[in-house]
Amino acid sequence: MILFPLIPAPAPITSAGMMVIGQLLGLIFLWSFVDMMWPTFLAIILFGLRAKEIYPNSWQINSIYEAGAQSFGNWIVVFALGCLILCVALEESGIIKRIVMKFITSKSARTNAWMFSFMILAATMVISLFMDCVAAEFFMLGIVHEIFDMLGFKKGDKWPKYMVIAITFTVILAFAMTPICHTSSILFMGVYSGITGQPANILGYMLIGIPIGLIIWIGMLLWFRFVVKPDISHFDTVDFSLLESKCPGKMEKKEKIVAVVSLIVLVFWLVPGFLSFLAPESAAFLLLDRLTATTPLFFAIVFLAIFRIDGEPILDLKSAFKKVDWLSIVFLAGILMIAGAMGEETTGIGAFIASVIVPLTAGKSAFILVGLIAVLSCIITNIANNIPVGIILVSVTVPIALDAGINPFLFVVAICIGANLAYTIPPAFVPIGIAYSDEWCEGKKVFLNGLVMTVISCVVLALLMYPLGNLVLGV
């Protein structure tokens, strides 16, 4: 992290770009094998020494303030904090326990441990298809953490560890499968529309993304079921009749209010995604788009903190802040600081990626070209952040597709899917950072299984992207 910037930078990467790469490599090592908290603060200090080179037009007087703005000042950190606080309200009101008890005492869940696991992951997939990945992950992890405790698992046990990883990978796959409430895909398609002047084919995207995502997801399930095979013998000792006796009774006023407020927030999260392609010019969409997903979330927190029952607030914020997982917040801050810098022109990293890709596409058939773009998107996004990777690749490859006489939107779909399948390191995608910092999980296991998921995804993308894309969109 200190000496990497002294290495001569291969053009077009700049010295500042080498600093960012050094920070990335150092943090991956320290987060995986040493500690997750203090390396982030060290990175902010070191980043601050060179931040002016990356953001030369910043209004900040001192670069360390720029480092703070790029880390703890990122909107995703604020959004994640809001999600964690709302999760505290859901937990304290008893809603999460009610959902958990309904789930774990269901007929399907009792069949066997594997069906139990599948039901959790299937529920994760369904809600993640139409919900922001960070919110979906926090919600599902809140539920499974309660399940781990109720079933008597201990931190370090294999099944909980792999359930956290599987939930994270499921959220990521769902994020890649549809653009509804999934901002990066919408952003990539916006770049495409800006270049071509053509609107994005949302339905075509989904008709390709959903089948490909489901096939990769099935591959993930088979990997965990027949290769990883986490020890689930603990389920043989679970007394479901005892669990049933602990099911909560009638909903009380506090639980009802928290449930209604949370559902309203969910509606505010979901509606803009549908309006974005049903009525993108409507006043309702423009208003909700301006509010962003964070505004209704914090309105809900304020309401729950103000509204009182028997003189007590529904949500005691002082108490809630003590229950927030601050490790996740600090971790996210470090991830986003590095990930954002990788996409800046001043680092030269994006230009370097583009210079590598363009020669690879020369003289290739449509089948090879589309598969290659999809695979490269998936590989690169696992060592760099998905947002700059997607923007760079769309900007570079759409003109290539037009020159080759191939439907450029097929390239865009390949990039939207591939660039969002980041499973390995925290700076690649926020859900991975959340898994690394989860108390029931382990960063090294996320990384190793992420490598397997990358291979599975690349194989599926290489074989199916062109045939399915050609069937839906035509070349």
Side-chain angles (χ1 to χ4, degrees), residues 213-436:
L214 288 175
I215 291 170
I216 296 172
W217 188 60
I218 291 169
M220 179 197 79
L221 296 176
L222 293 174
W223 166 257
F224 285 126
R225 173 66 178 87
F226 295 106
V227 180
V228 175
K229 296 190 288 190
D231 181 14
I232 52 176
S233 58
H234 184 82
F235 277 90
D236 297 336
T237 63
V238 174
D239 186 345
F240 283 99
S241 60
L242 179 62
L243 288 177
E244 278 186 337
S245 67
K246 295 181 180 180
C247 288
K250 189 177 179 181
M251 290 180 75
E252 296 182 355
K253 186 177 181 181
K254 178 178 179 179
E255 188 178 355
K256 289 179 180 178
I257 293 173
V258 174
V260 170
V261 169
S262 299
L263 285 173
I264 292 172
V265 172
L266 181 60
V267 169
F268 271 92
W269 284 348
L270 294 177
V271 169
F274 289 101
L275 289 179
S276 65
F277 62 90
L278 293 176
E281 302 298 327
S282 65
F285 171 72
L286 296 175
L287 173 62
L288 293 173
D289 187 56
R290 189 163 62 249
L291 288 176
T292 74
T294 308
T295 302
L297 176 62
F298 276 84
F299 262 124
I301 291 169
V302 171
F303 175 81
L304 294 174
I306 293 174
F307 198 93
R308 293 174 178 264
I309 299 176
D310 299 328
E312 296 293 328
I314 294 178
L315 176 62
D316 184 340
L317 283 176
K318 289 183 179 178
S319 173
F321 269 84
K322 293 177 182 177
K323 296 181 179 181
V324 166
D325 181 8
W326 288 102
L327 174 59
S328 297
I329 298 299
V330 173
F331 197 45
L332 278 178
I335 293 166
L336 294 165
M337 178 184 71
I338 299 300
M342 293 184 73
E344 292 295 314
E345 289 184 14
T346 49
T347 65
I349 296 173
F352 179 79
I353 292 173
S355 69
V356 171
I357 289 176
V358 172
L360 294 176
T361 62
K364 302 292 190 301
S365 67
F367 180 91
I368 297 296
L369 206 52
V370 173
L372 179 64
I373 294 301
V375 169
L376 285 175
S377 300
C378 184
I379 292 172
I380 296 171
T381 202
N382 276 280
I383 57 175
N385 183 259
N386 65 321
I387 298 291
V389 168
I391 293 173
I392 292 165
L393 291 179
V394 170
S395 302
V396 169
T397 60
V398 166
I400 292 173
L402 292 170
D403 290 341
I406 300 173
N407 185 344
F409 191 67
L410 182 53
F411 275 35
V412 175
V413 174
I415 293 166
C416 284
I417 297 172
N420 284 319
L421 298 180
Y423 312 102
T424 52
I425 60 176
F429 205 5
V430 173
I432 296 299
I434 295 171
Y436 265 66

Side-chain angles (χ1 to χ4, degrees), residues 149-170:
D149 285 330
M150 293 194 69
L151 296 183
F153 284 99
K154 295 180 176 58
K155 292 177 179 65
D157 286 349
K158 207 172 179 184
W159 184 78
K161 192 181 299 181
Y162 283 101
M163 281 306 299
V164 171
I165 295 172
I167 285 171
T168 301
F169 292 168
T170 299

